[in-house]
Amino acid sequence: AQKVTQAQTEISVVEKEDVTLDCVYETRDTTYYLFWYKQPPSGELVFLIRRNSFDEQNEISGRYSWNFQKSTSSFNFTITASQVVDSAVYFCALSEAYSTGTASKLTFGTGTRLQVTL
Amino acid sequence: DTEVTQTPKHLVMGMTNKKSLKCEQHMGHRAMYWYKQKAKKPPELMFVYSYEKLSINESVPSRFSPECPNSSLLNLHLHALQPEDSALYLCASSPRGSSPSNSGNTIYFGEGSWLTVV
């Protein structure tokens, strides 16, 4: 069975600090996909990144960066110079395949609530 | 930017009411989903439609009835709900994949409908 663990329930930082959100996953599949989503208080789940299991290159997008390490089954997310607008719940997720149709199934972690204060 | 739109944004209904949640996407996606999210929990999958056909029902009670009138629309009909059904209901869609398993398709979520059952 697939599993995603986000051990950090809540993190509080002061604006401009760097913060890393941890994600550890378990799967028996050799091909899999990992995702990060952001959920602000409004409720929408905003897609941030997708990474497949064959691509271990780290990725940077503005103040966001992701570190994928298959050796430790981790896919960590770093926000550099955090801002108040980064306050949200962040979910890491692992995708598995359904045998039919075009659908995907996401296994979510429990989420990390990030609070950025002035 | 997400192009999954959900209505209504907020809904309050009595336990004897019949109401519907609506979802629309114009991205040409062929898989659509309903998720339920309780406070401080990750989203839980309810239903999956693939090519307008129900392909996955995660043992959801019959008081929730999904409908997919066409490839762009997804409804969730609600009847005789219980107070514990109060939650955020998220609609989502994903594109047709190129791989046989489609496990890597990104799922895009709407803003959700906040449901309160009184």
Side-chain angles (χ1 to χ4, degrees):
Chain A
Q2 311 220 357
K3 184 178 179 181
V4 177
T5 301
Q6 294 180 257
Q8 304 152 308
T9 304
E10 293 191 31
I11 301 175
S12 184
V13 299
V14 177
E15 202 176 41
K16 297 184 183 178
E17 286 185 4
D18 298 347
V19 58
T20 296
L21 309 181
D22 298 333
C23 174
V24 175
Y25 63 90
E26 297 175 27
T27 180
R28 293 180 180 176
D29 292 346
T30 54
T31 302
Y32 52 89
Y33 292 80
L34 294 160
F35 300 82
W36 276 95
Y37 286 89
K38 174 183 179 180
Q39 188 172 41
S42 61
E44 180 184 1
L45 271 168
V46 179
F47 165 70
L48 296 178
I49 191 172
R50 180 185 79 167
R51 173 68 67 215
N52 75 56
S53 53
F54 295 108
D55 183 3
E56 287 195 70
Q57 265 193 327
N58 292 331
E59 182 157 339
I60 299 174
S61 176
R63 296 184 297 107
Y64 295 172
S65 62
W66 291 269
N67 181 277
F68 175 34
Q69 292 192 339
K70 286 181 73 172
S71 61
T72 56
S73 298
S74 66
F75 186 42
N76 296 336
F77 173 30
T78 297
I79 302 175
T80 303
S82 59
Q83 299 176 2
V84 172
V85 293
D86 296 327
S87 297
V89 179
Y90 291 86
F91 289 99
C92 181
L94 174 66
S95 178
E96 63 179 292
Y98 280 124
S99 58
T100 60
T102 63
S104 302
K105 181 175 182 181
L106 291 176
T107 299
F108 284 94
T110 50
T112 297
R113 180 177 299 277
L114 175 64
Q115 184 71 42
V116 182
T117 57
L118 292 171
Chain B
D1 291 337
T2 184
E3 294 180 44
V4 180
T5 57
Q6 292 187 240
T7 55
K9 180 70 173 177
H10 297 274
L11 177 64
V12 179
M13 61 183 291
M15 289 188 284
T16 59
N17 291 160
K18 287 185 180 181
K19 297 287 184 182
S20 297
L21 305 180
K22 299 185 183 298
C23 174
E24 189 169 9
Q25 59 90 10
H26 294 289
M27 295 181 281
H29 292 174
R30 302 312 298 270
M32 296 188 75
Y33 310 73
W34 280 114
Y35 281 81
K36 174 183 178 180
Q37 186 178 20
K38 302 284 283 184
K40 297 189 177 183
K41 297 289 187 181
E44 297 178 354
L45 184 65
M46 300 176 69
F47 302 103
V48 180
Y49 274 81
S50 180
Y51 288 95
E52 296 96 68
K53 293 184 178 179
L54 182 64
S55 60
I56 301 293
N57 177 341
E58 293 281 3
S59 302
V60 178
S62 60
R63 58 186 184 269
F64 295 92
S65 176
E67 178 197 19
C68 189
N70 59 54
S71 60
S72 300
L73 296 174
L74 185 66
N75 299 322
L76 186 62
H77 302 298
L78 314 171
H79 174 54
L81 295 192
Q82 303 297 311
E84 58 265 28
D85 296 321
S86 298
L88 175 66
Y89 288 83
L90 292 158
C91 176
S93 68
S94 61
R96 177 180 181 178
S98 57
S99 64
S101 69
N102 295 299
S103 63
N105 297 344
T106 299
I107 298 179
Y108 296 92
F109 290 83
E111 292 187 351
S113 293
W114 296 88
L115 173 67
T116 302
V117 181
V118 298

